[in-house]
Each structure stands twice: as C-alpha cells, then as structure tokens.
Amino acid sequence: MSPSHIHVPTDCRTVTEILSRVGDKWSVQVVVQMGEGPKRFNELRRAVTGISQRMLTLTLRGLERDGLVTRTVYPTIPPRVDYQLTGLGCSLLKTVRGLGDWAIEHRDEILTARRRFDASGDEELDRERPDAA
Amino acid sequence: MSPSHIHVPTDCRTVTEILSRVGDKWSVQVVVQMGEGPKRFNELRRAVTGISQRMLTLTLRGLERDGLVTRTVYPTIPPRVDYQLTGLGCSLLKTVRGLGDWAIEHRDEILTARRRFDASGDEELDRERPDAA
DNA sequence: CAGTATCCTTCGCGATACTG
DNA sequence: CAGTATCGCGAAGGATACTG
C-alpha cells in the first residue's frame, strides 16, 4: 500500500540495486535466451558464449531468488532441469529490450564519440611533447 | 547505412558493453542528476551520496567519452566546470527511466520473492540437521 | 546432465594525499 | 574548485577438479 508514485530516497537505492542485476555480466544475456521458452542448463551454457559453469549457476540462482525464473527438476537419469521465465521475468525482459534497442540504435554515435574523444586526447599529448612524432 | 533492424551476433556484444555502462555503480545516478540541467562538479558530488571524488571524475570522463555529456570549463578563479547532458544523454536517460519505473513497480514482488527463497533455503538446512534448532 | 567446491587472478572502487 | 596520482582491499569472475 506504499504510494509507489512518490519518490522517497529509499527508492533510489532499490532502483540502483535492481539496476545492478541488469548490469551484471550475464543476467541479461541469460534472460534473453529464456525469452524463447524454457531452457535446460547446458542449453543455456551453449547459448551464452563465454559463460562458465560456475557463473551460469550463480546467475540462475540469483534470478530464481528474485522470482524472475523458475527451476524445474525432473528426477530422471540423467537429471534434467528446466529454467523458465516467470511473468515477472518476462516483464523485465520487455523493459530491458527497450535499453537494448537504444543501444543498437545509438551504437554508431557512441563509437564515433569514443574515437573522437580518444583522438583529441592524443592531440593534447602531441602538443606537450612535439618531438614525440 | 547498416541495417540496424537485423540482429547479427556483433550487436550482442555491443549491447552488453553499453549495458555495462548502465550497470556500473554510478553512471545512472550521475546522469539522473544532470537530467534537471547543467551541474558543477561539486554539485554532482553532493547530489550523488556516497560517490568519491575519484569515481565521479572517472564516471564523468566515461560519459563524456561516449558523447553522453559535455564538459564546459570556465577559466575563472576559482575554476568552474559545468557538465550537461547531450541529446544522446537525454535519450539514454529517458530509456533508463523505463527500467527505473519497472524497478519501483516490482520492488515489492522482488523483495518478497527473495525472502521466500532465503527462507526455503533455511528449511532445507533444518531438514539436514534437525538438531540445529 | 547438472551441478558444488576450491583456488587464484583481475579489477572496481574507496581512502588518502597532492596540484593548478 | 576541480581535479590527478598512488595505494590497497574486497568482491566478481575464470579455471579446474570432483559428485549424485
């Protein structure tokens, strides 16, 4: 019943905390993979290039803890575990896509700005040490 | 002229890279502060509670490098430096607010899920060591 | 297959001191 | 006021080995 439309300082920390979830190295990529439906552990591992077994486990635990994914164990041999986005997870995915689209849309602008910035830094160095060239 | 609506693998890394900007500890908070207009260095420092001088400098440099803020130096004594969002920076702020709103909206759901998860973990421990209680 | 446990490295970040 | 330079810690994350 707390008025969520009123911004109190507490919200800032909460938002930052949740943003750090999104900002961590793997969560978003894992969530995106599950967007297409339930996935098994090694299926995710192959889909998310570069992730280690350890980090996939930790990432999935974190997402499960926050109620973003469900973990379903089928006690077969060999064992089978399915991970699936919850409603909350789906809604996060949608929101995150907004950011993803922004990134793709402005990718070139950013890369260009970066090159300009780096280049202008080099110029300053050249002015300090004209004999460097 | 590259078809930005077609997803090639390269985009994933770019998106991740830009998401990590958003996910870092201070960038978003600094950007939000500048949303209300140009700000001076120490003004930002006071507004963003907990940030160190070093991190504010690094954060601002990063944002400037990516073309998200401009840095204007007034060669007065004492020196005065204004930081201001660019158009690109403003558009990022808008997008990030989407995520912020999501976080505020689902804050309680997440916290509840967390408590449930942590509690169920304790139960399992109790079952393994019934004498622990 | 789906993990857990352990070790080890890298790096983000804070604290502190100094400068134009 | 607005930085830069240096040091050190703790957490994040990778590699590897082992298990039900």
PDB file of all heavy atoms in Angstrom, chain A residues 97-119:
ATOM      1  N   ARG A  97      14.655  -4.908 -23.182  1.00  0.00           N
ATOM      2  CA  ARG A  97      14.741  -4.778 -24.632  1.00  0.00           C
ATOM      3  C   ARG A  97      14.726  -3.322 -25.061  1.00  0.00           C
ATOM      4  O   ARG A  97      15.350  -2.942 -26.045  1.00  0.00           O
ATOM      5  CB  ARG A  97      13.590  -5.536 -25.292  1.00  0.00           C
ATOM      6  CG  ARG A  97      13.885  -7.008 -25.477  1.00  0.00           C
ATOM      7  CD  ARG A  97      13.090  -7.535 -26.677  1.00  0.00           C
ATOM      8  NE  ARG A  97      12.357  -8.758 -26.346  1.00  0.00           N
ATOM      9  CZ  ARG A  97      12.848  -9.980 -26.461  1.00  0.00           C
ATOM     10  NH1 ARG A  97      14.086 -10.159 -26.862  1.00  0.00           N
ATOM     11  NH2 ARG A  97      12.120 -11.027 -26.167  1.00  0.00           N
ATOM     12  N   GLY A  98      14.005  -2.506 -24.302  1.00  0.00           N
ATOM     13  CA  GLY A  98      13.992  -1.073 -24.587  1.00  0.00           C
ATOM     14  C   GLY A  98      15.405  -0.515 -24.576  1.00  0.00           C
ATOM     15  O   GLY A  98      15.809   0.226 -25.474  1.00  0.00           O
ATOM     16  N   LEU A  99      16.145  -0.925 -23.564  1.00  0.00           N
ATOM     17  CA  LEU A  99      17.522  -0.476 -23.450  1.00  0.00           C
ATOM     18  C   LEU A  99      18.383  -1.061 -24.569  1.00  0.00           C
ATOM     19  O   LEU A  99      19.244  -0.376 -25.129  1.00  0.00           O
ATOM     20  CB  LEU A  99      18.072  -0.914 -22.091  1.00  0.00           C
ATOM     21  CG  LEU A  99      19.057   0.021 -21.426  1.00  0.00           C
ATOM     22  CD1 LEU A  99      18.419   1.377 -21.205  1.00  0.00           C
ATOM     23  CD2 LEU A  99      19.540  -0.567 -20.116  1.00  0.00           C
ATOM     24  N   GLY A 100      18.125  -2.309 -24.878  1.00  0.00           N
ATOM     25  CA  GLY A 100      18.874  -2.967 -25.949  1.00  0.00           C
ATOM     26  C   GLY A 100      18.658  -2.262 -27.275  1.00  0.00           C
ATOM     27  O   GLY A 100      19.607  -2.041 -28.046  1.00  0.00           O
ATOM     28  N   ASP A 101      17.407  -1.913 -27.528  1.00  0.00           N
ATOM     29  CA  ASP A 101      17.101  -1.215 -28.775  1.00  0.00           C
ATOM     30  C   ASP A 101      17.802   0.138 -28.816  1.00  0.00           C
ATOM     31  O   ASP A 101      18.328   0.545 -29.856  1.00  0.00           O
ATOM     32  CB  ASP A 101      15.579  -1.016 -28.902  1.00  0.00           C
ATOM     33  CG  ASP A 101      14.852  -2.335 -29.123  1.00  0.00           C
ATOM     34  OD1 ASP A 101      15.538  -3.330 -29.458  1.00  0.00           O
ATOM     35  OD2 ASP A 101      13.623  -2.387 -28.952  1.00  0.00           O
ATOM     36  N   TRP A 102      17.815   0.809 -27.679  1.00  0.00           N
ATOM     37  CA  TRP A 102      18.509   2.093 -27.608  1.00  0.00           C
ATOM     38  C   TRP A 102      19.979   1.905 -27.961  1.00  0.00           C
ATOM     39  O   TRP A 102      20.561   2.678 -28.730  1.00  0.00           O
ATOM     40  CB  TRP A 102      18.369   2.694 -26.207  1.00  0.00           C
ATOM     41  CG  TRP A 102      18.986   4.052 -26.085  1.00  0.00           C
ATOM     42  CD1 TRP A 102      18.349   5.243 -26.281  1.00  0.00           C
ATOM     43  CD2 TRP A 102      20.348   4.359 -25.782  1.00  0.00           C
ATOM     44  NE1 TRP A 102      19.233   6.268 -26.108  1.00  0.00           N
ATOM     45  CE2 TRP A 102      20.465   5.770 -25.807  1.00  0.00           C
ATOM     46  CE3 TRP A 102      21.475   3.593 -25.498  1.00  0.00           C
ATOM     47  CZ2 TRP A 102      21.674   6.415 -25.552  1.00  0.00           C
ATOM     48  CZ3 TRP A 102      22.673   4.236 -25.241  1.00  0.00           C
ATOM     49  CH2 TRP A 102      22.772   5.628 -25.273  1.00  0.00           C
ATOM     50  N   ALA A 103      20.577   0.879 -27.392  1.00  0.00           N
ATOM     51  CA  ALA A 103      21.995   0.614 -27.613  1.00  0.00           C
ATOM     52  C   ALA A 103      22.286   0.368 -29.088  1.00  0.00           C
ATOM     53  O   ALA A 103      23.228   0.927 -29.660  1.00  0.00           O
ATOM     54  CB  ALA A 103      22.440  -0.591 -26.783  1.00  0.00           C
ATOM     55  N   ILE A 104      21.448  -0.437 -29.714  1.00  0.00           N
ATOM     56  CA  ILE A 104      21.648  -0.746 -31.134  1.00  0.00           C
ATOM     57  C   ILE A 104      21.457   0.513 -31.980  1.00  0.00           C
ATOM     58  O   ILE A 104      22.230   0.799 -32.885  1.00  0.00           O
ATOM     59  CB  ILE A 104      20.663  -1.846 -31.582  1.00  0.00           C
ATOM     60  CG1 ILE A 104      21.028  -3.167 -30.896  1.00  0.00           C
ATOM     61  CG2 ILE A 104      20.685  -2.008 -33.088  1.00  0.00           C
ATOM     62  CD1 ILE A 104      20.040  -4.280 -31.123  1.00  0.00           C
ATOM     63  N   GLU A 105      20.437   1.285 -31.600  1.00  0.00           N
ATOM     64  CA  GLU A 105      20.108   2.480 -32.368  1.00  0.00           C
ATOM     65  C   GLU A 105      21.240   3.516 -32.310  1.00  0.00           C
ATOM     66  O   GLU A 105      21.478   4.225 -33.293  1.00  0.00           O
ATOM     67  CB  GLU A 105      18.819   3.079 -31.804  1.00  0.00           C
ATOM     68  CG  GLU A 105      18.094   4.004 -32.761  1.00  0.00           C
ATOM     69  CD  GLU A 105      16.796   4.487 -32.123  1.00  0.00           C
ATOM     70  OE1 GLU A 105      16.189   3.727 -31.330  1.00  0.00           O
ATOM     71  OE2 GLU A 105      16.400   5.640 -32.394  1.00  0.00           O
ATOM     72  N   HIS A 106      21.898   3.603 -31.145  1.00  0.00           N
ATOM     73  CA  HIS A 106      22.883   4.672 -30.971  1.00  0.00           C
ATOM     74  C   HIS A 106      24.318   4.169 -30.938  1.00  0.00           C
ATOM     75  O   HIS A 106      25.237   4.919 -30.632  1.00  0.00           O
ATOM     76  CB  HIS A 106      22.565   5.451 -29.691  1.00  0.00           C
ATOM     77  CG  HIS A 106      21.228   6.095 -29.708  1.00  0.00           C
ATOM     78  ND1 HIS A 106      20.973   7.241 -30.429  1.00  0.00           N
ATOM     79  CD2 HIS A 106      20.054   5.750 -29.142  1.00  0.00           C
ATOM     80  CE1 HIS A 106      19.712   7.581 -30.283  1.00  0.00           C
ATOM     81  NE2 HIS A 106      19.119   6.679 -29.504  1.00  0.00           N
ATOM     82  N   ARG A 107      24.459   2.916 -31.259  1.00  0.00           N
ATOM     83  CA  ARG A 107      25.757   2.263 -31.279  1.00  0.00           C
ATOM     84  C   ARG A 107      26.793   3.081 -32.032  1.00  0.00           C
ATOM     85  O   ARG A 107      27.883   3.376 -31.522  1.00  0.00           O
ATOM     86  CB  ARG A 107      25.570   0.903 -31.948  1.00  0.00           C
ATOM     87  CG  ARG A 107      26.754   0.031 -32.044  1.00  0.00           C
ATOM     88  CD  ARG A 107      26.439  -1.111 -33.025  1.00  0.00           C
ATOM     89  NE  ARG A 107      27.099  -0.880 -34.282  1.00  0.00           N
ATOM     90  CZ  ARG A 107      28.148  -1.586 -34.702  1.00  0.00           C
ATOM     91  NH1 ARG A 107      28.605  -2.567 -33.966  1.00  0.00           N
ATOM     92  NH2 ARG A 107      28.745  -1.317 -35.842  1.00  0.00           N
ATOM     93  N   ASP A 108      26.476   3.458 -33.242  1.00  0.00           N
ATOM     94  CA  ASP A 108      27.435   4.170 -34.088  1.00  0.00           C
ATOM     95  C   ASP A 108      27.788   5.541 -33.515  1.00  0.00           C
ATOM     96  O   ASP A 108      28.950   5.946 -33.510  1.00  0.00           O
ATOM     97  CB  ASP A 108      26.899   4.322 -35.511  1.00  0.00           C
ATOM     98  CG  ASP A 108      26.850   2.981 -36.230  1.00  0.00           C
ATOM     99  OD1 ASP A 108      27.425   2.011 -35.681  1.00  0.00           O
ATOM    100  OD2 ASP A 108      26.239   2.905 -37.303  1.00  0.00           O
ATOM    101  N   GLU A 109      26.767   6.231 -33.025  1.00  0.00           N
ATOM    102  CA  GLU A 109      27.004   7.537 -32.410  1.00  0.00           C
ATOM    103  C   GLU A 109      28.025   7.428 -31.285  1.00  0.00           C
ATOM    104  O   GLU A 109      28.958   8.233 -31.170  1.00  0.00           O
ATOM    105  CB  GLU A 109      25.696   8.079 -31.817  1.00  0.00           C
ATOM    106  CG  GLU A 109      24.891   8.960 -32.726  1.00  0.00           C
ATOM    107  CD  GLU A 109      23.573   9.343 -32.076  1.00  0.00           C
ATOM    108  OE1 GLU A 109      22.620   8.531 -32.130  1.00  0.00           O
ATOM    109  OE2 GLU A 109      23.488  10.433 -31.490  1.00  0.00           O
ATOM    110  N   ILE A 110      27.841   6.419 -30.456  1.00  0.00           N
ATOM    111  CA  ILE A 110      28.718   6.234 -29.298  1.00  0.00           C
ATOM    112  C   ILE A 110      30.130   5.883 -29.739  1.00  0.00           C
ATOM    113  O   ILE A 110      31.111   6.467 -29.253  1.00  0.00           O
ATOM    114  CB  ILE A 110      28.157   5.146 -28.361  1.00  0.00           C
ATOM    115  CG1 ILE A 110      26.885   5.658 -27.687  1.00  0.00           C
ATOM    116  CG2 ILE A 110      29.190   4.738 -27.327  1.00  0.00           C
ATOM    117  CD1 ILE A 110      26.190   4.638 -26.826  1.00  0.00           C
ATOM    118  N   LEU A 111      30.236   4.957 -30.669  1.00  0.00           N
ATOM    119  CA  LEU A 111      31.567   4.551 -31.125  1.00  0.00           C
ATOM    120  C   LEU A 111      32.300   5.729 -31.769  1.00  0.00           C
ATOM    121  O   LEU A 111      33.504   5.906 -31.576  1.00  0.00           O
ATOM    122  CB  LEU A 111      31.446   3.377 -32.103  1.00  0.00           C
ATOM    123  CG  LEU A 111      30.941   2.087 -31.447  1.00  0.00           C
ATOM    124  CD1 LEU A 111      30.823   0.970 -32.471  1.00  0.00           C
ATOM    125  CD2 LEU A 111      31.840   1.666 -30.292  1.00  0.00           C
ATOM    126  N   THR A 112      31.563   6.534 -32.511  1.00  0.00           N
ATOM    127  CA  THR A 112      32.171   7.712 -33.131  1.00  0.00           C
ATOM    128  C   THR A 112      32.645   8.694 -32.067  1.00  0.00           C
ATOM    129  O   THR A 112      33.770   9.206 -32.122  1.00  0.00           O
ATOM    130  CB  THR A 112      31.156   8.419 -34.052  1.00  0.00           C
ATOM    131  OG1 THR A 112      30.705   7.489 -35.040  1.00  0.00           O
ATOM    132  CG2 THR A 112      31.794   9.614 -34.738  1.00  0.00           C
ATOM    133  N   ALA A 113      31.767   8.956 -31.081  1.00  0.00           N
ATOM    134  CA  ALA A 113      32.132   9.865 -29.997  1.00  0.00           C
ATOM    135  C   ALA A 113      33.391   9.371 -29.292  1.00  0.00           C
ATOM    136  O   ALA A 113      34.289  10.152 -28.968  1.00  0.00           O
ATOM    137  CB  ALA A 113      30.976   9.983 -29.001  1.00  0.00           C
ATOM    138  N   ARG A 114      33.474   8.083 -29.098  1.00  0.00           N
ATOM    139  CA  ARG A 114      34.638   7.492 -28.437  1.00  0.00           C
ATOM    140  C   ARG A 114      35.907   7.751 -29.217  1.00  0.00           C
ATOM    141  O   ARG A 114      36.928   8.153 -28.659  1.00  0.00           O
ATOM    142  CB  ARG A 114      34.440   5.980 -28.304  1.00  0.00           C
ATOM    143  CG  ARG A 114      34.067   5.584 -26.928  1.00  0.00           C
ATOM    144  CD  ARG A 114      33.800   4.105 -26.843  1.00  0.00           C
ATOM    145  NE  ARG A 114      32.651   3.889 -25.985  1.00  0.00           N
ATOM    146  CZ  ARG A 114      32.181   2.700 -25.647  1.00  0.00           C
ATOM    147  NH1 ARG A 114      32.752   1.604 -26.132  1.00  0.00           N
ATOM    148  NH2 ARG A 114      31.163   2.595 -24.850  1.00  0.00           N
ATOM    149  N   ARG A 115      35.841   7.506 -30.514  1.00  0.00           N
ATOM    150  CA  ARG A 115      37.038   7.715 -31.338  1.00  0.00           C
ATOM    151  C   ARG A 115      37.455   9.174 -31.302  1.00  0.00           C
ATOM    152  O   ARG A 115      38.642   9.480 -31.185  1.00  0.00           O
ATOM    153  CB  ARG A 115      36.775   7.258 -32.776  1.00  0.00           C
ATOM    154  CG  ARG A 115      36.946   5.763 -32.959  1.00  0.00           C
ATOM    155  CD  ARG A 115      36.985   5.399 -34.439  1.00  0.00           C
ATOM    156  NE  ARG A 115      35.730   5.744 -35.110  1.00  0.00           N
ATOM    157  CZ  ARG A 115      34.686   4.928 -35.209  1.00  0.00           C
ATOM    158  NH1 ARG A 115      34.740   3.732 -34.671  1.00  0.00           N
ATOM    159  NH2 ARG A 115      33.598   5.304 -35.832  1.00  0.00           N
ATOM    160  N   ARG A 116      36.486  10.067 -31.375  1.00  0.00           N
ATOM    161  CA  ARG A 116      36.816  11.495 -31.325  1.00  0.00           C
ATOM    162  C   ARG A 116      37.479  11.853 -30.009  1.00  0.00           C
ATOM    163  O   ARG A 116      38.480  12.564 -29.964  1.00  0.00           O
ATOM    164  CB  ARG A 116      35.529  12.328 -31.479  1.00  0.00           C
ATOM    165  CG  ARG A 116      35.214  12.725 -32.892  1.00  0.00           C
ATOM    166  CD  ARG A 116      34.861  14.221 -32.966  1.00  0.00           C
ATOM    167  NE  ARG A 116      33.930  14.616 -31.920  1.00  0.00           N
ATOM    168  CZ  ARG A 116      32.612  14.608 -32.037  1.00  0.00           C
ATOM    169  NH1 ARG A 116      32.067  14.224 -33.174  1.00  0.00           N
ATOM    170  NH2 ARG A 116      31.859  14.984 -31.048  1.00  0.00           N
ATOM    171  N   PHE A 117      36.908  11.363 -28.924  1.00  0.00           N
ATOM    172  CA  PHE A 117      37.441  11.664 -27.592  1.00  0.00           C
ATOM    173  C   PHE A 117      38.876  11.147 -27.448  1.00  0.00           C
ATOM    174  O   PHE A 117      39.769  11.872 -27.007  1.00  0.00           O
ATOM    175  CB  PHE A 117      36.552  11.036 -26.526  1.00  0.00           C
ATOM    176  CG  PHE A 117      36.945  11.380 -25.119  1.00  0.00           C
ATOM    177  CD1 PHE A 117      36.422  12.508 -24.497  1.00  0.00           C
ATOM    178  CD2 PHE A 117      37.823  10.583 -24.412  1.00  0.00           C
ATOM    179  CE1 PHE A 117      36.767  12.831 -23.195  1.00  0.00           C
ATOM    180  CE2 PHE A 117      38.183  10.893 -23.105  1.00  0.00           C
ATOM    181  CZ  PHE A 117      37.650  12.023 -22.502  1.00  0.00           C
ATOM    182  N   ASP A 118      39.076   9.923 -27.856  1.00  0.00           N
ATOM    183  CA  ASP A 118      40.405   9.317 -27.739  1.00  0.00           C
ATOM    184  C   ASP A 118      41.415  10.051 -28.609  1.00  0.00           C
ATOM    185  O   ASP A 118      42.545  10.291 -28.197  1.00  0.00           O
ATOM    186  CB  ASP A 118      40.352   7.840 -28.116  1.00  0.00           C
ATOM    187  CG  ASP A 118      39.514   7.038 -27.117  1.00  0.00           C
ATOM    188  OD1 ASP A 118      39.196   7.571 -26.044  1.00  0.00           O
ATOM    189  OD2 ASP A 118      39.173   5.879 -27.428  1.00  0.00           O
ATOM    190  N   ALA A 119      40.970  10.429 -29.793  1.00  0.00           N
ATOM    191  CA  ALA A 119      41.864  11.130 -30.705  1.00  0.00           C
ATOM    192  C   ALA A 119      42.257  12.495 -30.150  1.00  0.00           C
ATOM    193  O   ALA A 119      43.422  12.891 -30.201  1.00  0.00           O
ATOM    194  CB  ALA A 119      41.199  11.293 -32.069  1.00  0.00           C
TER     195      ALA A 119
END
